[in-house]
Amino acid sequence: MRSFVLGIELGSFAQAADRLGRSTSAISAQLKRLEEQAGTSLVRKVGRQLVLTEAGETMFGYARRMLDLNDEAAMALREAGLEGGVRLGLQEDFGEMLLADVLTRFARAYPKVKMEARVARNRELTDAVQSGKLDLAVIWGDAEASPLAQRLADVPMRWVGGVREGLRVECERPLPIVAFDPPCLFRQAATVALDRAGIAWRSAFTSPNLGGLWAATAAGLGVTVRTGIELPPRVRVLNPVQAKLPPLPSIPVVMLRHSGALAPPAAQLAAIVSEAVREATQRSER
C-alpha cells in the first residue's frame, strides 16, 4: 500500500522503488498483488503518465489515511515517553491547512509534548529562529543562506486573480499588482518578470498579511503572485499565456533550525513538518 501511494504521489513507480530502496520489479509485484486483493485495476497508463482508475481513486484515499495512522502509531510506540516542549514557526501560506495537519499528527503521536506555534512572515520567523525563540521555522527562501537550513521543496510561483474579477483585471494596463509590503520575494519576482517583459504595472494594494492579499485579489483590485499551495476558493491560478503575463520562477521551501542537534521533540516535529510540506507541494502541482 505504501508503494502504491508513493508511486502515485511521485508519478512513477520507478521513483517509488528508489525512495523505498527496492527494485522496480518488486514494486510492480506489490501493485499487482494489491490489485488482485482489490479485485480490480487501480492504475492505468495514459501516455507516460500514471492515472488512477475510479477504484484506484477510492483506494488511494483510504490508503493514505491508513498509512498516516500506521506511521503515527509506530512513532507513538517508539517515543511513548517523549516529553518536553517545541516551538514551530510557519510562513502564512502554510499557516492554516498545514498547521492544523501538523498539530493533529504531532499531538496524536506525542501527547506529553507541549507545542507552541507562530504564523508570520519570513523576516520575523528568521529572527526568531536565530535568537532561539523558535526551534524550527518553515519559510520561503534560499537554503544556502544558512548552514542550518534544509531545502524541502521547490514550488512554482503562480499568477493569481479573483475567481469573478480576474478577467477584467488581466486586461488592465498598467497591470494592478497586489502584494506584501517590501521586502517580499514574491513581489520582487512579479515586478522583475513584468519589467523584463516590458509590461507596465502599478502597485494597487499592499498588505502586511496574507488575508489582506486574498481579500484584495478576490475583490478584483489586482493580481498577485503566490504558489498554488492552499489557495482560498475565491481566487484562482491564472493561465499566463491567456493573460499575456510573463513566466515566473520557482521558490524554495526551506526549514530553518535553531540548532544542528535538535532535542528529540523538535527532531520528531521536523520529520512531521517535512512530510506535510512535501504532501502540500505535491497537491498544489496536480
Side-chain angles (χ1 to χ4, degrees):
M1 195 169 288
R2 190 178 301 277
S3 300
F4 166 64
V5 169
L6 191 58
I8 296 302
E9 288 180 341
L10 296 176
S12 166
F13 285 107
Q15 291 184 41
D18 289 339
R19 180 77 63 87
L20 295 172
R22 298 184 178 182
S23 66
T24 304
S25 59
I27 298 295
S28 298
Q30 287 183 333
L31 178 61
K32 183 177 180 181
R33 178 61 176 159
L34 188 61
E35 290 182 325
E36 289 174 353
Q37 292 176 333
T40 185
S41 296
L42 302 176
V43 178
R44 61 187 177 88
K45 269 200 167 185
V46 177
R48 296 185 177 180
Q49 292 186 329
L50 293 173
V51 178
L52 289 170
T53 63
E54 185 175 348
E57 291 278 4
T58 301
M59 174 65 80
F60 184 76
Y62 280 108
R64 288 189 62 181
R65 289 160 57 188
M66 293 170 69
L67 289 170
D68 285 344
L69 286 173
N70 175 81
D71 293 344
E72 288 172 10
M75 285 191 294
L77 291 173
R78 285 198 305 268
E79 305 289 348
L82 194 64
E83 297 182 358
V86 61
R87 301 158 301 174
L88 171 68
L90 289 173
Q91 241 286 343
E92 285 188 282
D93 299 78
F94 299 102
E96 293 187 16
M97 299 298 293
L98 187 70
L99 181 57
D101 183 29
V102 168
L103 288 173
T104 300
R105 293 189 193 187
F106 193 77
R108 284 178 181 171
Y110 310 108
K112 296 181 182 180
V113 177
K114 179 183 177 182
M115 179 174 166
E116 298 178 18
R118 179 188 302 183
V119 176
R121 291 180 60 186
N122 269 18
R123 176 172 290 181
E124 181 179 343
L125 294 176
T126 301
D127 290 344
V129 171
Q130 291 175 347
S131 64
K133 294 178 181 178
L134 291 175
D135 300 299
L136 302 166
V138 176
I139 66 168
W140 302 111
D142 184 2
E144 305 301 324
S146 168
L148 299 179
Q150 174 190 2
R151 185 188 295 257
L152 300 180
D154 289 291
V155 189
M157 293 187 188
R158 306 293 190 193
W159 294 102
V160 178
V163 170
R164 297 182 179 178
E165 302 293 339
L167 290 176
R168 179 183 62 79
V169 171
E170 291 168 34
C171 296
E172 288 189 28
R173 292 296 186 271
L175 183 72
I177 297 296
V178 173
F180 277 143
D181 301 318
C184 172
L185 295 174
F186 290 92
R187 180 192 186 102
Q188 181 181 1
T191 55
V192 167
L194 291 170
D195 288 342
R196 286 177 176 172
I199 298 175
W201 58 273
R202 63 182 177 86
S203 179
F205 183 90
T206 61
S207 171
N209 57 69
L210 189 58
L213 295 192
W214 294 144
T217 303
L221 297 186
V223 298
T224 191
V225 170
R226 301 309 292 177
T227 69
I229 295 175
E230 310 298 356
L231 294 180
R234 59 189 186 277
V235 301
R236 64 185 176 91
V237 171
L238 303 177
N239 183 316
V241 176
Q242 293 178 354
K244 297 181 180 179
L245 294 171
L248 294 165
S250 293
I251 186 168
V253 185
V254 174
M255 179 182 289
L256 296 180
R257 301 168 182 244
H258 172 62
S259 171
L262 294 173
Q268 295 298 334
L269 179 61
I272 291 175
V273 171
S274 297
E275 182 63 24
V277 167
R278 291 190 181 100
E279 290 174 359
T281 56
Q282 288 167 0
R283 288 196 300 270
S284 73
E285 296 173 14
R286 288 179 184 169

